[in-house]
Amino acid sequence: AVPVRVRVLSPGGQVQLEKKIAGLTDPILSVDGDQLAFRTRRSTAVLDLESLSVTQYPRYASFAVDADGAVAGVVIGTNDIRLHNSDGSSIEIALPAAPRRLAFADDGNLLVVTSRTLFQVDPQLGAIRVLSALQGLGEFRDLRVLRGVVHLGARLMQGKGFSGHHWVLNGQGKVL
């Protein structure tokens, strides 16, 4: 794996941190932009961009980081999600299908998309609620939360081919 150079700059452009990280993939920012999460060959890591500290987690198939530092990850080879809350506690939640993408909503709830369903997970209780289910032939492919709005991508069968679709939802799963 090729090392990736990560530089954290101050608002004035001064280098605050510079690291070479071998095998860095899938970088994502928390909703507030204060934390950078990424996967390495051995782990999933979160770099706090204010304190410049790095926290290591098990290597996850897919992952998300919340503004308060909570981390959610799909346990490789399972339908399970492990939630590491900012208070140091963690819980594991089994879903009925393999999670594809994870994202934290502005209210702190975890959103999980499988090929056919969008779930909302309460990170404290582990309670699962269906927000949306795909009707017909096709699959959900992507999930993002930007400024409190949920963006859900799908590929649907139409005639003899497929077409891409983009839905915009509020935090309760209602199409906007």
Side-chain angles (χ1 to χ4, degrees), residues 79-108:
N79 294 348
D80 297 345
I81 296 171
R82 192 169 296 139
L83 281 162
H84 303 272
N85 291 304
S86 56
D87 65 5
S89 66
S90 65
I91 58 174
E92 199 157 309
I93 299 156
L95 290 176
R100 288 192 165 183
R101 299 276 188 267
L102 309 175
F104 281 96
D106 284 356
D107 64 4

Side-chain angles (χ1 to χ4, degrees), residues 156-176:
L156 303 178
M157 186 170 197
Q158 294 193 332
K160 294 182 179 181
F162 289 91
S163 64
H165 293 266
H166 175 215
W167 287 286
V168 179
L169 309 138
N170 65 15
Q172 291 73 44
K174 303 292 183 205
V175 176
L176 300 176

Side-chain angles (χ1 to χ4, degrees), residues 6 24 27-30 33-38 45-49 65:
V6 175
L24 184 148
I28 59 166
L29 286 171
S30 60
D34 287 344
Q35 295 169 53
L36 173 68
F38 52 90
V46 177
L47 169 62
D48 184 298
L49 297 172
V65 60

